[in-house]
Amino acid sequence: MWLRYHAMEPAAQARYAPLATAIVVRGSSPTLKAAADELQRGLSGLLARPAPVADTVTDGAVVLGGKGVDTSKLGPEGYALRSTVVDGHKVTVIAANSDVGVLYGAFAFLKLVQTRQDIAALEVASVPRSRCASSITGTISTARSSAAMPGSRSGDWHKMPDFMDPRYTDYARADASVGINGMVPNNVSSQAEMLTPLYIHRAAALAAVFRPYGIRMYFSARFSAPIEIGGLKTADPLDPAVIAWWKAKADEIYAAIPDFGGFLVKASSEGQPGPDDYHRTQADGANVLADALKPHGGIVMWRAFVYSAENPEDRAKQAL
């Protein structure tokens, strides 16, 4: 991927020589450390020279979390890149209203350098258009995966949390570099085991790796989980026992993963269980989960299909 930061040609290195001479961090959070580490890795690789983290501002420094830049219109995850003067020195400031905004700005700055853009007089502001941008990464139920995160295959899950593959961090870097702020570690056609204490414990270790990169964990939730792992006789979303089961499960997950994002559900489609099995509406099915997540601030992503798997008509035509 582009995060390998191969050294640029000598002419480009000379062009950026007066800039990005040092990295000054205004703060000490894990996210700011991740941003500084990325800049250090990227600039030292691209420019083929050290890019030290320093405490003192000097000419050409990149200042993370600097003050004196208007961030009022950036929202919680936007960022600003500004060429300005700090303490009498010409610097580049990466400013935001949150540490993760600074991280996104660090990746944007590296992109400008790597694509040989002029960074001598920066005046850049960027604000996300979507609050939730997530990626689905594989499965815990089979030995195959598609576009998967390293370690999402079933064997690697069994190594967690005792062994956490360093590539998990690389995966988080890759997601954050393009503004992805959520991930679902199990396939949308999921098995209920993802909601068992064992896998919640393992996912909590993975969430800790992703957290500094602004990535929240979500689970694909199997609609029939109250039956398969909960010991109930029904998954009817209007049944009081089912409602209580989902609330208790949400509480259990948030106790292990405080910044858990919520559930992704594929229901009543392609053989997956869902509210249709109980003659309930899709809203009934989604709301039992949403009610369980609401006290914690989580969300439900409810997958809808515009075709019937039993209808022999071409699926693309059904969508029309």
Side-chain angles (χ1 to χ4, degrees):
M1 296 184 66
W2 70 280
L3 300 178
R4 288 179 291 178
Y5 305 123
H6 294 310
M8 298 189 295
E9 63 279 8
Q13 294 177 23
R15 177 184 177 189
Y16 293 107
L19 306 168
T21 57
I23 302 162
V24 180
V25 187
R26 301 300 197 195
S28 58
S29 74
T31 298
L32 287 177
K33 184 181 184 304
D37 288 347
E38 196 68 35
L39 282 174
Q40 190 170 42
R41 179 189 296 111
L43 293 174
S44 62
L46 293 169
L47 304 180
R49 60 167 171 79
V53 175
D55 295 325
T56 305
V57 175
T58 57
D59 284 341
V62 179
V63 181
L64 297 178
K67 296 181 180 179
V69 174
D70 183 11
T71 60
S72 61
K73 297 180 180 180
L74 297 179
E77 293 187 342
Y79 61 83
L81 309 179
R82 293 287 187 275
S83 297
T84 186
V85 176
V86 174
D87 298 335
H89 297 281
K90 294 181 179 180
V91 301
T92 300
V93 170
I94 301 177
N97 291 318
S98 65
D99 291 347
V100 73
V102 173
L103 176 67
Y104 295 150
F107 279 114
F109 180 78
L110 285 170
K111 180 180 179 181
L112 293 175
V113 175
Q114 193 165 7
T115 54
R116 282 64 166 175
Q117 304 300 307
D118 185 1
I119 61 171
L122 287 178
E123 188 77 18
V124 175
S126 180
V127 180
R129 295 183 181 180
S130 174
R131 183 173 67 89
C132 179
S134 300
S135 62
I136 302 175
T137 62
T139 176
I140 63 168
S141 57
T142 71
R144 60 184 174 83
S145 55
S146 176
M149 171 193 68
S152 65
R153 303 184 182 198
S154 55
D156 293 73
W157 273 98
H158 287 79
K159 298 177 183 178
M160 299 179 191
D162 297 324
F163 172 73
M164 301 300 291
D165 194 317
R167 292 178 298 167
Y168 300 153
T169 300
D170 290 334
Y171 175 89
R173 291 171 56 218
D175 271 8
S177 74
V178 292
I180 291 177
N181 61 6
M183 66 85 62
V184 185
N186 58 320
N187 191 281
V188 69
S189 296
S190 65
Q191 300 301 314
E193 62 184 320
M194 190 67 200
L195 300 180
T196 60
L198 176 62
Y199 276 101
I200 293 172
H201 177 63
R202 290 169 174 168
L206 198 56
V209 174
F210 295 149
R211 191 167 292 117
Y213 292 88
I215 300 170
R216 298 178 70 180
M217 177 82 71
Y218 296 75
F219 289 161
S220 287
R222 188 168 174 85
F223 192 81
S224 55
I227 299 173
E228 296 176 30
I229 63 172
L232 302 184
K233 294 182 179 180
T234 181
D236 184 346
L238 300 188
D239 186 284
V242 173
I243 294 171
W245 187 89
W246 280 112
K247 288 185 176 180
K249 182 57 62 176
D251 292 344
E252 178 187 356
I253 294 171
Y254 277 96
I257 309 173
D259 57 348
F260 181 69
F263 294 129
L264 169 65
V265 184
K266 175 184 176 183
S268 301
S269 59
E270 298 182 328
Q272 293 293 304
D276 285 359
D277 298 342
Y278 304 95
H279 306 289
R280 307 299 188 188
T281 67
Q282 297 297 306
D284 292 332
N287 284 338
V288 69
L289 300 177
D291 288 342
L293 295 170
K294 185 177 180 179
H296 305 282
I299 66 171
V300 175
M301 294 177 282
W302 192 264
R303 287 191 48 157
F305 282 68
V306 295
Y307 63 82
S308 168
E310 292 76 27
N311 190 332
E313 183 68 37
D314 183 87
R315 290 181 178 182
K317 292 181 179 180
Q318 290 184 54
L320 299 176

